[in-house]
Amino acid sequence: MMRFYSLYVQKVIRLTSGSVRFDLLIPEHLKSIFHWKPGQFIRFQFEINGEIVERDYSICTAPYEGYLSFVIKRTKNARVSKFVQEHIKEGFYVLVSAPIGTFGIPSRPDEKRTLAAFASGSGISPILSIIKDTLYHESGVRFYLFYGNTNEKEVIFKNELTKLREKNPNNFFPYFLYSQQKMQDKLFEGKLDAHKIKLIINQIMNWDELDEALICGPKEMIVTLANAIYEHGIPKKNIHYELYEPVEKVFHDDKIKRSTVKEVKVTFTFQQSTKTMNWINNGSSLLTALLDSGVDAPYSCKGGVCGACICSKKEGEVYVDENLILTENDLKNGKILTCMSHPKTETLIINLDDV
Ligand code: FES
């Protein structure tokens, strides 16, 4: 079961008409737990009208800054973000999990490398944490940012990004695109899409030098950009993305393997209790089968990215569609992602408590 900790809200700052930043203080005795990697997120638990709801928000500060900061953007019909913006004030306490998630790239202080990040709206949060941390540790980096918003007024962290550029003129190159604002240079007008990637390659970056790409925003944007970047020669393993919404698969050419097994008898341990269920091979993932049978199995992205659904396989086999998280060693030790697992053998024994 996920554990939640009570953290003090130190500052609440409105950034744009729809976005508010919340800074949380990490008390001395919780510093070893709230030790995060740039790109990770935290799960918040709120009680709204007697109902417990949970939401994930990416951390936008870098670890060297020593405090946690989040942007919560209010969107139409989003009752949780509305509740948070209206009710959570400075001096309040909020319930949050320890940092989780696998989005991001390892730091390489001794290397010269070129990185490019593509973000839209509040998708800037984990990207900002990664940018700050990379600029702080890597003097040889060239970090490009392509950040899309509806118009200039909606740019979250415009000042902070401008200051980072001024402080790191040889290392950081931010570009802003607006989907609902006329721009003289058409490259910067419209949404980030496959055509924009072509223009960026032709007019801005030396694409051959690009080592890693990072993408964060709505799932349509992630799928479009990940495929465009891949088609322009960047290997899948060097394209990193953070999905906030479930998606069947990101890369168009990923093959989904199917077996002829019709039904799997699954024995699963969850919250220390062991039960069985039948998993019909109709294209649903193991996670979907668990959720459909009423098991409150953990998940977040449903896209093989966040790692929230990792569990241990004790017996039997599954096909794992797409895996950007588990290492060879994890796989050898029986770790699987339930959201990406499909039937392979007729029996399967898993432990959801063993992550
Ligand atoms: S739910 Fe995110 S990897 Fe499975």
Side-chain angles (χ1 to χ4, degrees):
M1 271 250 276
M2 188 169 269
R3 184 159 173 205
F4 287 88
Y5 304 85
S6 180
L7 293 194
Y8 181 76
V9 182
Q10 193 181 25
K11 237 185 223 172
V12 177
I13 303 166
R14 179 158 293 281
L15 298 175
T16 66
S17 62
S19 310
V20 176
R21 190 182 107 193
F22 295 83
D23 294 349
L24 309 185
L25 201 66
I26 309 170
E28 209 48 50
H29 70 284
L30 291 179
K31 286 225 158 111
S32 59
I33 289 166
F34 286 90
H35 183 75
W36 73 98
K37 292 197 197 107
Q40 284 195 301
F41 63 89
I42 268 175
R43 185 157 298 163
F44 282 69
Q45 193 177 78
F46 305 107
E47 190 181 331
I48 304 179
N49 299 329
E51 187 196 345
I52 302 294
V53 289
E54 293 178 357
R55 287 292 181 279
D56 297 335
Y57 295 107
S58 292
I59 304 165
C60 52
T61 33
Y64 70 84
E65 294 177 279
Y67 65 98
L68 294 161
S69 189
F70 304 86
V71 171
I72 299 188
K73 190 170 175 182
R74 193 160 159 176
T75 47
K76 255 193 226 155
N77 305 324
R79 71 183 177 116
V80 178
S81 54
K82 180 174 183 288
F83 169 86
V84 177
Q85 287 200 5
E86 286 173 0
H87 294 90
I88 307 293
K89 311 272 182 226
E90 286 178 11
F92 280 34
Y93 282 84
V94 283
L95 284 179
V96 295
S97 74
I100 37 181
T102 55
F103 180 54
I105 44 174
S107 182
R108 305 222 188 278
D110 302 325
E111 284 179 21
K112 278 196 165 179
R113 60 175 177 169
T114 300
L115 308 173
F118 303 84
S120 155
S122 56
I124 191 67
S125 292
I127 299 280
L128 180 63
S129 174
I130 294 167
I131 290 171
K132 286 200 249 185
D133 192 74
T134 308
L135 294 174
Y136 187 77
H137 290 106
E138 299 185 32
S139 56
V141 75
R142 287 175 67 79
F143 207 136
Y144 290 84
L145 168 69
F146 301 95
Y147 182 22
N149 281 280
T150 48
N151 58 57
E152 201 170 355
K153 282 197 192 123
E154 292 305 317
V155 180
I156 305 169
F157 297 122
K158 182 79 192 266
N159 287 343
E160 198 154 348
L161 291 165
T162 307
K163 278 191 195 140
L164 278 172
R165 162 75 184 148
E166 283 164 8
K167 213 174 147 200
N168 303 276
N170 301 318
N171 305 88
F172 181 47
F173 312 94
Y175 295 90
F176 300 93
L177 292 89
Y178 304 118
S179 60
Q180 291 172 23
Q181 184 175 322
K182 289 263 167 272
M183 301 296 289
Q184 217 168 22
D185 186 338
K186 293 300 166 205
L187 195 159
F188 303 111
E189 190 178 311
K191 288 189 174 174
L192 274 165
D193 58 13
H195 180 59
K196 289 282 189 275
I197 295 290
K198 265 193 201 159
L199 296 178
I200 287 167
I201 294 172
N202 291 339
Q203 298 178 32
I204 298 183
M205 287 185 63
N206 182 352
W207 194 255
D208 293 340
E209 287 177 358
L210 182 61
D211 294 298
E212 314 262 355
L214 299 133
I215 318 169
C216 190
K219 68 177 175 189
E220 296 75 19
M221 182 191 104
I222 289 177
V223 170
T224 303
L225 295 188
N227 281 284
I229 292 167
Y230 172 56
E231 278 155 23
H232 285 287
I234 306 300
K236 283 181 195 172
K237 67 175 175 49
N238 296 1
I239 303 172
H240 313 269
Y241 45 85
E242 178 66 305
L243 280 165
Y244 292 126
E245 308 157 79
V247 62
E248 178 78 6
K249 61 177 183 162
V250 170
F251 292 102
H252 301 324
D253 68 351
D254 278 337
K255 307 264 181 299
I256 295 186
K257 298 188 194 82
R258 298 276 178 256
S259 78
T260 49
V261 170
K262 289 200 170 65
E263 194 171 334
V264 184
K265 185 177 172 212
V266 184
T267 305
F268 61 93
T269 303
F270 183 48
Q271 296 175 347
Q272 272 114 50
S273 131
T274 301
K275 294 187 179 142
T276 58
M277 67 163 198
N278 289 335
W279 175 19
I280 311 287
N281 188 3
N282 58 5
S284 313
S285 68
L286 175 56
L287 174 65
T288 304
L290 285 162
L291 296 174
D292 286 351
S293 18
V295 183
D296 193 17
Y299 70 91
S300 181
C301 71
K302 286 189 177 172
V305 174
C306 71
C309 69
I310 292 175
C311 75
S312 286
K313 173 172 63 65
K314 304 295 178 195
E315 207 181 294
E317 292 299 332
V318 289
Y319 286 116
V320 179
D321 283 346
E322 195 172 344
N323 168 35
L324 296 175
I325 302 167
L326 301 175
T327 61
E328 282 296 309
N329 216 21
D330 291 333
L331 293 167
K332 226 165 60 202
N333 290 328
K335 297 289 183 215
I336 57 167
L337 301 174
T338 61
C339 74
M340 291 286 114
S341 294
H342 291 273
K344 191 169 181 185
T345 53
E346 284 174 355
T347 54
L348 181 69
I349 302 179
I350 54 168
N351 187 343
L352 296 162
D353 297 333
D354 187 4
V355 296

mmCIF file of all heavy atoms in Angstrom, residues 178-213:
data_model
loop_
_atom_site.group_PDB
_atom_site.id
_atom_site.type_symbol
_atom_site.label_atom_id
_atom_site.label_comp_id
_atom_site.label_asym_id
_atom_site.label_seq_id
_atom_site.Cartn_x
_atom_site.Cartn_y
_atom_site.Cartn_z
ATOM 1 N N TYR A 178 3.425 29.390 -30.103
ATOM 2 C CA TYR A 178 2.073 29.757 -29.667
ATOM 3 C C TYR A 178 1.036 29.279 -30.671
ATOM 4 O O TYR A 178 1.137 29.577 -31.863
ATOM 5 C CB TYR A 178 1.982 31.274 -29.485
ATOM 6 C CG TYR A 178 3.025 31.789 -28.516
ATOM 7 C CD1 TYR A 178 4.008 32.686 -28.918
ATOM 8 C CD2 TYR A 178 3.041 31.331 -27.200
ATOM 9 C CE1 TYR A 178 4.986 33.122 -28.031
ATOM 10 C CE2 TYR A 178 4.018 31.758 -26.312
ATOM 11 C CZ TYR A 178 4.987 32.651 -26.733
ATOM 12 O OH TYR A 178 5.951 33.059 -25.854
ATOM 13 N N SER A 179 0.036 28.550 -30.170
ATOM 14 C CA SER A 179 -0.965 27.996 -31.089
ATOM 15 C C SER A 179 -2.066 29.003 -31.412
ATOM 16 O O SER A 179 -2.760 28.862 -32.395
ATOM 17 C CB SER A 179 -1.569 26.722 -30.499
ATOM 18 O OG SER A 179 -2.176 27.010 -29.266
ATOM 19 N N GLN A 180 -2.244 30.033 -30.564
ATOM 20 C CA GLN A 180 -3.314 31.003 -30.833
ATOM 21 C C GLN A 180 -2.794 32.435 -30.796
ATOM 22 O O GLN A 180 -3.429 33.324 -30.259
ATOM 23 C CB GLN A 180 -4.439 30.834 -29.804
ATOM 24 C CG GLN A 180 -5.198 29.539 -29.991
ATOM 25 C CD GLN A 180 -6.177 29.270 -28.877
ATOM 26 O OE1 GLN A 180 -6.627 30.176 -28.189
ATOM 27 N NE2 GLN A 180 -6.499 28.004 -28.675
ATOM 28 N N GLN A 181 -1.610 32.620 -31.302
ATOM 29 C CA GLN A 181 -1.052 33.977 -31.343
ATOM 30 C C GLN A 181 -0.275 34.122 -32.644
ATOM 31 O O GLN A 181 0.518 33.235 -32.995
ATOM 32 C CB GLN A 181 -0.117 34.179 -30.136
ATOM 33 C CG GLN A 181 0.446 35.577 -30.038
ATOM 34 C CD GLN A 181 1.268 35.762 -28.745
ATOM 35 O OE1 GLN A 181 0.926 35.254 -27.685
ATOM 36 N NE2 GLN A 181 2.363 36.491 -28.855
ATOM 37 N N LYS A 182 -0.534 35.215 -33.341
ATOM 38 C CA LYS A 182 0.162 35.438 -34.620
ATOM 39 C C LYS A 182 1.636 35.700 -34.354
ATOM 40 O O LYS A 182 1.990 36.470 -33.458
ATOM 41 C CB LYS A 182 -0.434 36.662 -35.334
ATOM 42 C CG LYS A 182 -1.829 36.407 -35.870
ATOM 43 C CD LYS A 182 -1.765 36.033 -37.354
ATOM 44 C CE LYS A 182 -3.052 35.467 -37.879
ATOM 45 N NZ LYS A 182 -3.236 34.028 -37.760
ATOM 46 N N MET A 183 2.495 35.037 -35.121
ATOM 47 C CA MET A 183 3.937 35.230 -34.969
ATOM 48 C C MET A 183 4.511 35.578 -36.340
ATOM 49 O O MET A 183 4.047 35.060 -37.359
ATOM 50 C CB MET A 183 4.602 33.946 -34.453
ATOM 51 C CG MET A 183 4.088 33.461 -33.115
ATOM 52 S SD MET A 183 4.428 34.589 -31.767
ATOM 53 C CE MET A 183 6.201 34.418 -31.592
ATOM 54 N N GLN A 184 5.536 36.421 -36.322
ATOM 55 C CA GLN A 184 6.144 36.805 -37.592
ATOM 56 C C GLN A 184 6.798 35.589 -38.258
ATOM 57 O O GLN A 184 6.621 35.340 -39.437
ATOM 58 C CB GLN A 184 7.185 37.879 -37.329
ATOM 59 C CG GLN A 184 7.205 38.906 -38.420
ATOM 60 C CD GLN A 184 8.022 40.095 -37.988
ATOM 61 O OE1 GLN A 184 8.870 40.007 -37.096
ATOM 62 N NE2 GLN A 184 7.788 41.215 -38.631
ATOM 63 N N ASP A 185 7.528 34.832 -37.456
ATOM 64 C CA ASP A 185 8.166 33.618 -37.964
ATOM 65 C C ASP A 185 7.200 32.458 -37.743
ATOM 66 O O ASP A 185 6.890 32.109 -36.601
ATOM 67 C CB ASP A 185 9.482 33.388 -37.200
ATOM 68 C CG ASP A 185 10.271 32.231 -37.782
ATOM 69 O OD1 ASP A 185 9.657 31.379 -38.454
ATOM 70 O OD2 ASP A 185 11.493 32.187 -37.562
ATOM 71 N N LYS A 186 6.717 31.861 -38.840
ATOM 72 C CA LYS A 186 5.677 30.826 -38.751
ATOM 73 C C LYS A 186 6.156 29.573 -38.020
ATOM 74 O O LYS A 186 5.348 28.755 -37.592
ATOM 75 C CB LYS A 186 5.153 30.464 -40.151
ATOM 76 C CG LYS A 186 4.402 31.604 -40.811
ATOM 77 C CD LYS A 186 3.177 32.011 -39.975
ATOM 78 C CE LYS A 186 2.619 33.339 -40.421
ATOM 79 N NZ LYS A 186 1.873 34.071 -39.412
ATOM 80 N N LEU A 187 7.462 29.422 -37.880
ATOM 81 C CA LEU A 187 7.971 28.268 -37.122
ATOM 82 C C LEU A 187 7.428 28.293 -35.694
ATOM 83 O O LEU A 187 7.201 27.262 -35.077
ATOM 84 C CB LEU A 187 9.500 28.315 -37.100
ATOM 85 C CG LEU A 187 10.255 27.055 -36.678
ATOM 86 C CD1 LEU A 187 11.680 27.112 -37.195
ATOM 87 C CD2 LEU A 187 10.275 26.778 -35.204
ATOM 88 N N PHE A 188 7.225 29.503 -35.179
ATOM 89 C CA PHE A 188 6.811 29.635 -33.777
ATOM 90 C C PHE A 188 5.304 29.821 -33.620
ATOM 91 O O PHE A 188 4.828 30.130 -32.546
ATOM 92 C CB PHE A 188 7.592 30.778 -33.113
ATOM 93 C CG PHE A 188 9.075 30.557 -33.218
ATOM 94 C CD1 PHE A 188 9.861 31.375 -34.016
ATOM 95 C CD2 PHE A 188 9.670 29.493 -32.559
ATOM 96 C CE1 PHE A 188 11.223 31.141 -34.143
ATOM 97 C CE2 PHE A 188 11.029 29.251 -32.681
ATOM 98 C CZ PHE A 188 11.811 30.072 -33.480
ATOM 99 N N GLU A 189 4.577 29.662 -34.720
ATOM 100 C CA GLU A 189 3.112 29.772 -34.658
ATOM 101 C C GLU A 189 2.514 28.392 -34.911
ATOM 102 O O GLU A 189 2.901 27.702 -35.849
ATOM 103 C CB GLU A 189 2.632 30.761 -35.730
ATOM 104 C CG GLU A 189 1.171 31.110 -35.574
ATOM 105 C CD GLU A 189 0.737 32.134 -36.629
ATOM 106 O OE1 GLU A 189 1.422 33.156 -36.811
ATOM 107 O OE2 GLU A 189 -0.296 31.882 -37.273
ATOM 108 N N GLY A 190 1.578 27.973 -34.061
ATOM 109 C CA GLY A 190 0.948 26.658 -34.229
ATOM 110 C C GLY A 190 1.449 25.674 -33.192
ATOM 111 O O GLY A 190 2.295 25.998 -32.353
ATOM 112 N N LYS A 191 0.882 24.463 -33.263
ATOM 113 C CA LYS A 191 1.222 23.440 -32.265
ATOM 114 C C LYS A 191 2.512 22.721 -32.621
ATOM 115 O O LYS A 191 2.894 22.657 -33.785
ATOM 116 C CB LYS A 191 0.095 22.408 -32.204
ATOM 117 C CG LYS A 191 -1.147 22.952 -31.558
ATOM 118 C CD LYS A 191 -2.146 21.857 -31.321
ATOM 119 C CE LYS A 191 -3.308 22.449 -30.544
ATOM 120 N NZ LYS A 191 -4.403 21.596 -30.347
ATOM 121 N N LEU A 192 3.123 22.138 -31.607
ATOM 122 C CA LEU A 192 4.286 21.276 -31.837
ATOM 123 C C LEU A 192 3.792 20.002 -32.515
ATOM 124 O O LEU A 192 2.994 19.262 -31.934
ATOM 125 C CB LEU A 192 4.923 20.914 -30.497
ATOM 126 C CG LEU A 192 5.945 21.884 -29.919
ATOM 127 C CD1 LEU A 192 6.199 21.572 -28.455
ATOM 128 C CD2 LEU A 192 7.254 21.838 -30.699
ATOM 129 N N ASP A 193 4.228 19.766 -33.744
ATOM 130 C CA ASP A 193 3.802 18.559 -34.456
ATOM 131 C C ASP A 193 4.943 18.067 -35.350
ATOM 132 O O ASP A 193 6.066 18.594 -35.294
ATOM 133 C CB ASP A 193 2.520 18.820 -35.263
ATOM 134 C CG ASP A 193 2.702 19.949 -36.268
ATOM 135 O OD1 ASP A 193 3.854 20.350 -36.514
ATOM 136 O OD2 ASP A 193 1.693 20.426 -36.814
ATOM 137 N N ALA A 194 4.647 17.085 -36.199
ATOM 138 C CA ALA A 194 5.698 16.481 -37.028
ATOM 139 C C ALA A 194 6.315 17.519 -37.977
ATOM 140 O O ALA A 194 7.527 17.511 -38.225
ATOM 141 C CB ALA A 194 5.115 15.320 -37.817
ATOM 142 N N HIS A 195 5.472 18.439 -38.495
ATOM 143 C CA HIS A 195 5.981 19.453 -39.408
ATOM 144 C C HIS A 195 6.961 20.380 -38.681
ATOM 145 O O HIS A 195 8.005 20.764 -39.223
ATOM 146 C CB HIS A 195 4.806 20.243 -39.991
ATOM 147 C CG HIS A 195 5.231 21.315 -40.946
ATOM 148 N ND1 HIS A 195 5.947 21.039 -42.093
ATOM 149 C CD2 HIS A 195 5.070 22.669 -40.906
ATOM 150 C CE1 HIS A 195 6.202 22.166 -42.722
ATOM 151 N NE2 HIS A 195 5.690 23.172 -42.024
ATOM 152 N N LYS A 196 6.618 20.703 -37.435
ATOM 153 C CA LYS A 196 7.509 21.586 -36.656
ATOM 154 C C LYS A 196 8.863 20.902 -36.416
ATOM 155 O O LYS A 196 9.899 21.557 -36.386
ATOM 156 C CB LYS A 196 6.867 21.936 -35.306
ATOM 157 C CG LYS A 196 5.675 22.870 -35.423
ATOM 158 C CD LYS A 196 6.114 24.308 -35.638
ATOM 159 C CE LYS A 196 4.976 25.279 -35.532
ATOM 160 N NZ LYS A 196 4.210 25.480 -36.766
ATOM 161 N N ILE A 197 8.836 19.586 -36.219
ATOM 162 C CA ILE A 197 10.108 18.866 -36.019
ATOM 163 C C ILE A 197 10.996 19.061 -37.255
ATOM 164 O O ILE A 197 12.192 19.338 -37.140
ATOM 165 C CB ILE A 197 9.861 17.351 -35.758
ATOM 166 C CG1 ILE A 197 9.100 17.145 -34.449
ATOM 167 C CG2 ILE A 197 11.176 16.551 -35.765
ATOM 168 C CD1 ILE A 197 9.865 17.452 -33.181
ATOM 169 N N LYS A 198 10.386 18.972 -38.444
ATOM 170 C CA LYS A 198 11.154 19.172 -39.685
ATOM 171 C C LYS A 198 11.763 20.573 -39.717
ATOM 172 O O LYS A 198 12.926 20.757 -40.058
ATOM 173 C CB LYS A 198 10.215 19.030 -40.889
ATOM 174 C CG LYS A 198 10.226 17.659 -41.476
ATOM 175 C CD LYS A 198 9.547 17.691 -42.827
ATOM 176 C CE LYS A 198 9.093 16.296 -43.176
ATOM 177 N NZ LYS A 198 8.051 16.258 -44.160
ATOM 178 N N LEU A 199 10.940 21.577 -39.356
ATOM 179 C CA LEU A 199 11.427 22.964 -39.377
ATOM 180 C C LEU A 199 12.549 23.165 -38.358
ATOM 181 O O LEU A 199 13.530 23.859 -38.616
ATOM 182 C CB LEU A 199 10.276 23.937 -39.084
ATOM 183 C CG LEU A 199 9.141 23.963 -40.115
ATOM 184 C CD1 LEU A 199 8.044 24.917 -39.677
ATOM 185 C CD2 LEU A 199 9.664 24.381 -41.488
ATOM 186 N N ILE A 200 12.384 22.536 -37.197
ATOM 187 C CA ILE A 200 13.416 22.649 -36.147
ATOM 188 C C ILE A 200 14.729 22.058 -36.660
ATOM 189 O O ILE A 200 15.807 22.630 -36.486
ATOM 190 C CB ILE A 200 12.934 21.938 -34.853
ATOM 191 C CG1 ILE A 200 11.842 22.782 -34.178
ATOM 192 C CG2 ILE A 200 14.093 21.677 -33.891
ATOM 193 C CD1 ILE A 200 11.063 22.070 -33.088
ATOM 194 N N ILE A 201 14.617 20.897 -37.336
ATOM 195 C CA ILE A 201 15.822 20.247 -37.879
ATOM 196 C C ILE A 201 16.465 21.141 -38.948
ATOM 197 O O ILE A 201 17.681 21.318 -38.989
ATOM 198 C CB ILE A 201 15.460 18.866 -38.484
ATOM 199 C CG1 ILE A 201 15.004 17.923 -37.372
ATOM 200 C CG2 ILE A 201 16.632 18.275 -39.255
ATOM 201 C CD1 ILE A 201 14.448 16.602 -37.852
ATOM 202 N N ASN A 202 15.626 21.732 -39.808
ATOM 203 C CA ASN A 202 16.170 22.538 -40.911
ATOM 204 C C ASN A 202 16.682 23.898 -40.468
ATOM 205 O O ASN A 202 17.616 24.433 -41.042
ATOM 206 C CB ASN A 202 15.090 22.764 -41.983
ATOM 207 C CG ASN A 202 14.772 21.473 -42.698
ATOM 208 O OD1 ASN A 202 15.578 20.549 -42.688
ATOM 209 N ND2 ASN A 202 13.600 21.395 -43.294
ATOM 210 N N GLN A 203 16.045 24.472 -39.442
ATOM 211 C CA GLN A 203 16.346 25.879 -39.149
ATOM 212 C C GLN A 203 17.012 26.150 -37.805
ATOM 213 O O GLN A 203 17.570 27.215 -37.598
ATOM 214 C CB GLN A 203 15.051 26.705 -39.223
ATOM 215 C CG GLN A 203 14.427 26.679 -40.602
ATOM 216 C CD GLN A 203 13.130 27.471 -40.631
ATOM 217 O OE1 GLN A 203 12.965 28.448 -39.921
ATOM 218 N NE2 GLN A 203 12.194 27.042 -41.453
ATOM 219 N N ILE A 204 16.903 25.214 -36.857
ATOM 220 C CA ILE A 204 17.409 25.561 -35.519
ATOM 221 C C ILE A 204 18.551 24.674 -35.041
ATOM 222 O O ILE A 204 19.606 25.170 -34.659
ATOM 223 C CB ILE A 204 16.255 25.536 -34.480
ATOM 224 C CG1 ILE A 204 15.204 26.579 -34.867
ATOM 225 C CG2 ILE A 204 16.789 25.814 -33.081
ATOM 226 C CD1 ILE A 204 14.069 26.716 -33.904
ATOM 227 N N MET A 205 18.328 23.380 -35.055
ATOM 228 C CA MET A 205 19.299 22.495 -34.399
ATOM 229 C C MET A 205 20.181 21.756 -35.387
ATOM 230 O O MET A 205 19.754 21.466 -36.491
ATOM 231 C CB MET A 205 18.547 21.400 -33.631
ATOM 232 C CG MET A 205 17.883 21.841 -32.392
ATOM 233 S SD MET A 205 17.212 20.368 -31.587
ATOM 234 C CE MET A 205 18.694 19.437 -31.238
ATOM 235 N N ASN A 206 21.347 21.379 -34.918
ATOM 236 C CA ASN A 206 22.127 20.394 -35.651
ATOM 237 C C ASN A 206 21.657 19.029 -35.143
ATOM 238 O O ASN A 206 22.118 18.527 -34.125
ATOM 239 C CB ASN A 206 23.620 20.601 -35.388
ATOM 240 C CG ASN A 206 24.447 19.616 -36.191
ATOM 241 O OD1 ASN A 206 23.898 18.700 -36.823
ATOM 242 N ND2 ASN A 206 25.751 19.791 -36.172
ATOM 243 N N TRP A 207 20.690 18.465 -35.858
ATOM 244 C CA TRP A 207 19.991 17.255 -35.410
ATOM 245 C C TRP A 207 20.943 16.070 -35.242
ATOM 246 O O TRP A 207 20.729 15.201 -34.400
ATOM 247 C CB TRP A 207 18.886 16.935 -36.420
ATOM 248 C CG TRP A 207 17.875 15.936 -35.961
ATOM 249 C CD1 TRP A 207 17.783 14.635 -36.351
ATOM 250 C CD2 TRP A 207 16.792 16.140 -35.032
ATOM 251 N NE1 TRP A 207 16.711 14.022 -35.736
ATOM 252 C CE2 TRP A 207 16.088 14.928 -34.921
ATOM 253 C CE3 TRP A 207 16.351 17.239 -34.284
ATOM 254 C CZ2 TRP A 207 14.971 14.767 -34.101
ATOM 255 C CZ3 TRP A 207 15.237 17.082 -33.462
ATOM 256 C CH2 TRP A 207 14.567 15.862 -33.378
ATOM 257 N N ASP A 208 21.997 16.025 -36.061
ATOM 258 C CA ASP A 208 22.935 14.891 -35.985
ATOM 259 C C ASP A 208 23.608 14.805 -34.621
ATOM 260 O O ASP A 208 24.110 13.758 -34.231
ATOM 261 C CB ASP A 208 24.034 15.023 -37.052
ATOM 262 C CG ASP A 208 23.449 14.867 -38.436
ATOM 263 O OD1 ASP A 208 22.346 14.294 -38.525
ATOM 264 O OD2 ASP A 208 24.085 15.322 -39.401
ATOM 265 N N GLU A 209 23.641 15.932 -33.921
ATOM 266 C CA GLU A 209 24.307 15.932 -32.610
ATOM 267 C C GLU A 209 23.373 15.538 -31.481
ATOM 268 O O GLU A 209 23.798 15.395 -30.338
ATOM 269 C CB GLU A 209 24.854 17.337 -32.310
ATOM 270 C CG GLU A 209 26.070 17.667 -33.135
ATOM 271 C CD GLU A 209 26.551 19.081 -32.876
ATOM 272 O OE1 GLU A 209 25.915 19.801 -32.081
ATOM 273 O OE2 GLU A 209 27.561 19.453 -33.491
ATOM 274 N N LEU A 210 22.075 15.395 -31.801
ATOM 275 C CA LEU A 210 21.101 15.159 -30.723
ATOM 276 C C LEU A 210 21.301 13.780 -30.088
ATOM 277 O O LEU A 210 21.291 12.761 -30.769
ATOM 278 C CB LEU A 210 19.670 15.282 -31.268
ATOM 279 C CG LEU A 210 18.563 15.097 -30.227
ATOM 280 C CD1 LEU A 210 18.654 16.140 -29.123
ATOM 281 C CD2 LEU A 210 17.186 15.156 -30.878
ATOM 282 N N ASP A 211 21.491 13.775 -28.762
ATOM 283 C CA ASP A 211 21.693 12.507 -28.046
ATOM 284 C C ASP A 211 20.399 11.969 -27.450
ATOM 285 O O ASP A 211 20.130 10.780 -27.515
ATOM 286 C CB ASP A 211 22.723 12.708 -26.925
ATOM 287 C CG ASP A 211 24.092 13.019 -27.493
ATOM 288 O OD1 ASP A 211 24.627 12.153 -28.197
ATOM 289 O OD2 ASP A 211 24.603 14.130 -27.273
ATOM 290 N N GLU A 212 19.627 12.841 -26.800
ATOM 291 C CA GLU A 212 18.408 12.367 -26.130
ATOM 292 C C GLU A 212 17.306 13.399 -26.335
ATOM 293 O O GLU A 212 17.564 14.603 -26.326
ATOM 294 C CB GLU A 212 18.613 12.238 -24.609
ATOM 295 C CG GLU A 212 19.887 11.551 -24.186
ATOM 296 C CD GLU A 212 19.714 10.082 -23.852
ATOM 297 O OE1 GLU A 212 18.565 9.590 -23.858
ATOM 298 O OE2 GLU A 212 20.729 9.427 -23.617
ATOM 299 N N ALA A 213 16.072 12.901 -26.484
ATOM 300 C CA ALA A 213 14.915 13.798 -26.584
ATOM 301 C C ALA A 213 13.955 13.495 -25.444
ATOM 302 O O ALA A 213 13.782 12.337 -25.054
ATOM 303 C CB ALA A 213 14.212 13.596 -27.923
#
